């Protein structure tokens, strides 16, 4: 059974924002990444899926049921919104208990465990917490009832690297216990580390849906080189290279494919300097667009 | 039930403050009774006032030198206070999740929007009942402390029943506005504006009988004070209509809150 299903899901807001005709299904036990730049429609898609906003057309369901018609299906859902705001006058523990009270099971033990893992002080007022700590409250709030589906909207923003690591370990653990995880991000590397499949969204449309293994085979590298003498454009105009820019003795491009191919080609050129790095997401998106045109 | 208790806890402090204000209003209002009832020159002044001035002061055709008439005059301000409380409570209890950006947290829980409205309306109902009871008890105590004539506890109870209906009307009106208006910040202002408008209408209709038709726009005019003072009780038909009106507004609040796109 598909845990998440979106069929021709469309949500229009005003003129430009929103999502267009999204089709997506996520199977039980997957860790699914939803990736795109800010404003691409990630939050809109998630909110429409969960029935927090209503679609203009199309349909969405979790565990085979529409959230608006069957709000009780959200018992199995743990959700972390992208921006966390909580009832200000509450202490962390009060908020977590309030959140737990919606699920009709005793979550006290799990709250303690999660707070310990995330290093969260339960006695503080939410008002007094930093952004990162509020995010932790959001994470604990989303996981405390051991949901079968965990949906997180930009979960790592505001967390320091150590916390991000702990958080991802936590998600892996939940996934190992059987939970399906769906999270959005604009950082490719964290999706790469975690996910089994990934969907790229831009301007409200899914432009690519790929298995992580495929993506990893198609390792994207941004390569900048500086040659001893002038570099000819033809030398690097091979399959897998895109966005090639040659400027005298310097050149830069994105390479996708077998690393050895490009290494051989590089070794034929006498270099003064080289850097090989992970391209950022925007560049990969640009890459897709170039290919589609 | 969890949302109901949450709302009660959240509203506790405000309710205490409103209750104290109401208590002070009753206490200070009743304190002036001796000045009105001392007779002689005092009552002459009232007799000589033009009827329009009397109307604006809330005296109208009441005999404010006796306790029941005096209480009816004071009751206008009590009722106004309770109505302000009810309309602000009704709009804020619905709008605050959007205003404080907690709506996304709440509606992602396994509850329907109707269940959210139900909890909120019940919590608000409990709060207007408390304010009503505070008013009732303090009125009965204060009136009996000053009253030298006939006991008017029965009339006070009727007044407070009519006040409860007015509270109910304004509460559901506030809730309806908050449920229907997409900007959560403007629903409170709209609710307060309508309340002031209906109060002004109630004053205008006192000035001239020709404007009596406008009374339908002002819940303050639904129950005649004179009728209660004269011992004729509440008009059962109007009582029924008012309850139906409140139920209709509550139902519309459910409808709009379920239908509207909430501000997340």
């Amino acid at each position: 059974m598909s845990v998440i299903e979106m069929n021709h899901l469309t949500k229009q807001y005003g003129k430009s924002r929103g999502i267009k005709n999204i089709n997506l299904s996520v199977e039980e036990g997957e860790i699914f990444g939803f990736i795109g730049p800010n404003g691409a429609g990630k939050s809109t898609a998630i909110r429409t899926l969960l029935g927090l906003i209503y679609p203009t057309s199309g349909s969405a369901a979790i565990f085979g049921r529409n959230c608006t018609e069957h709000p009780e299906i959200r018992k199995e859902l743990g959700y972390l919104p992208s921006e966390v705001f909580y009832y200000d006058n509450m202490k962390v523990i009060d908020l977590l208990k309030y959140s737990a009270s919606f699920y009709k099971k005793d979550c006290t033990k799990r709250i303690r465990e999660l707070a310990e893992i995330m290093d969260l002080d339960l006695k503080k007022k939410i008002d007094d917490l930093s952004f990162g700590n509020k995010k932790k409250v959001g994470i604990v709030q989303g996981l405390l009832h051991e949901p079968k589906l965990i949906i997180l909207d930009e979960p790592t923003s505001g967390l320091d690297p150590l916390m991000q690591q702990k958080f991802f370990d936590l998600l892996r653990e939940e996934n190992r216990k059987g939970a399906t995880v769906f999270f959005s991000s604009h950082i490719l590397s964290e999706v790469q580390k975690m996910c089994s499949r990934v969907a790229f969204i831009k301007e409200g449309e899914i432009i690519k849906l790929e298995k992580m293994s495929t993506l990893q085979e198609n390792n994207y590298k941004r390569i900048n080189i500086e040659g001893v003498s002038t570099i000819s454009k033809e030398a690097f105009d091979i399959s897998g290279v895109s966005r090639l820019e040659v400027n005298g003795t310097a050149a830069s491009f994105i390479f996708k494919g077998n690393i050895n191919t490009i290494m051989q080609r590089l070794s034929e050129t006498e270099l003064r300097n080289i850097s090989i790095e992970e391209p950022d997401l925007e560049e990969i998106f640009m890459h897709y667009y170039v290919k589609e045109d | 039930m969890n949302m109901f208790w949450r709302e009660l806890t959240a509203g506790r402090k405000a309710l205490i403050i409103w209750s104290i204000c109401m208590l002070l209003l009753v206490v200070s209002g009743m304190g002036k009774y001796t000045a009105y009832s001392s007779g002689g020159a005092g009552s002459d002044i009232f007799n000589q006032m033009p009827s329009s001035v009397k109307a604006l002061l809330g005296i109208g055709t009441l005999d404010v030198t006796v306790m029941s008439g005096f209480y009816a005059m004071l009751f206008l301000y009590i009722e106004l206070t309770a109505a302000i409380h009810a309309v602000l409570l009704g709009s804020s209890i619905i709008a605050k999740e959007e205003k404080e950006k907690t709506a996304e947290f709440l509606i992602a829980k396994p509850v329907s929007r109707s269940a959210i409205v139900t909890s909120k309306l019940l919590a608000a109902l409990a709060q207007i009942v408390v304010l009503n009871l505070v008013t009732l008890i303090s009125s009965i105590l204060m009136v009996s402390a000053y009253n030298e004539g006939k006991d008017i506890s029965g009339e006070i109870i009727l007044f407070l029943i009519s006040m409860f209906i007015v509270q109910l009307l304004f509460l559901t009106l506030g809730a309806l506005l908050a449920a229907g208006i997409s900007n959560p910040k403007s629903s409170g202002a709209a609710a307060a504006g309508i309340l002031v408008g209906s109060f002004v209408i109630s004053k205008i209709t006192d000035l001239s009988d020709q404007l009596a038709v406008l009374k339908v726009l002002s819940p303050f005019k639904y129950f005649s004070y004179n009728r209660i003072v004269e011992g004729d009780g509440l008009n059962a038909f109007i009582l029924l209509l008012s309850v139906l009106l409140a139920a209709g507004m509550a139902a519309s609040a459910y409808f709009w809150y379920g239908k509207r796109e909430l501000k997340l």
Side-chain angles (χ1 to χ4, degrees), chain A residues 50-143:
Chain A
L50 299 182
L52 311 184
I53 52 178
Y54 302 133
T56 312
S57 63
S59 66
I62 63 174
F63 301 104
R65 287 179 173 214
N66 179 290
C67 283
T68 309
E69 287 154 28
H70 303 277
E72 72 283 351
I73 199 69
R74 292 191 289 233
K75 272 206 304 274
E76 308 294 350
L77 165 77
Y79 173 53
L80 172 69
S82 59
E83 285 175 82
V84 275
F85 290 94
Y86 292 115
Y87 306 89
D88 281 345
N89 279 322
M90 281 182 158
K91 282 184 186 161
V92 174
I93 185 70
D94 296 331
L95 186 274
L96 294 177
K97 279 186 177 160
Y98 181 49
S99 181
S101 70
F102 286 91
Y103 300 103
K104 298 180 178 70
K105 56 176 162 182
D106 184 22
C107 306
T108 324
K109 188 163 157 265
R110 189 67 184 145
I111 292 176
R112 305 269 163 210
E113 281 171 17
L114 289 168
E116 184 138 337
I117 296 169
M118 298 306 293
D119 193 19
L120 179 66
D121 185 349
L122 292 175
K123 292 194 190 82
K124 276 208 170 150
K125 282 214 163 189
I126 297 181
D127 256 354
D128 303 335
L129 296 181
S130 66
F131 180 73
N133 278 318
K134 278 187 186 155
K135 199 89 191 181
K136 290 186 201 168
V137 178
I139 291 169
V140 177
Q141 171 271 134
L143 299 179

Side-chain angles (χ1 to χ4, degrees), chain B residues 29-46:
Chain B
M30 289 310 297
K32 298 196 189 86
Y33 176 61
T34 37
Y36 283 77
S37 66
S38 55
S43 38
D44 285 346
I45 292 175
F46 292 119

Side-chain angles (χ1 to χ4, degrees), chain B residues 60-107:
Chain B
T61 54
L62 297 166
D63 180 3
V64 294
T65 60
V66 300
M67 187 51 102
S68 58
F70 180 79
Y71 185 78
M73 181 186 70
L74 176 62
F75 178 72
L76 175 68
Y77 302 99
I78 294 175
E79 187 175 50
L80 179 62
T81 309
I84 294 171
H85 171 254
V87 82
L88 293 180
L89 177 65
S91 72
S92 73
I93 206 164
I94 299 287
K96 71 178 179 189
E97 305 287 346
E98 290 173 88
K99 215 183 317 186
E100 291 166 17
K101 309 245 178 218
T102 50
E104 191 162 14
F105 166 82
L106 189 61
I107 59 177

Side-chain angles (χ1 to χ4, degrees), chain B residues 3-24:
Chain B
M3 289 184 280
F4 172 78
W5 290 115
R6 164 80 205 119
E7 289 301 340
L8 278 194
T9 319
R12 195 176 45 194
K13 207 182 263 174
L15 181 61
I16 291 173
I17 293 172
W18 276 99
S19 297
I20 291 173
C21 290
M22 188 60 96
L23 188 71
L24 291 177

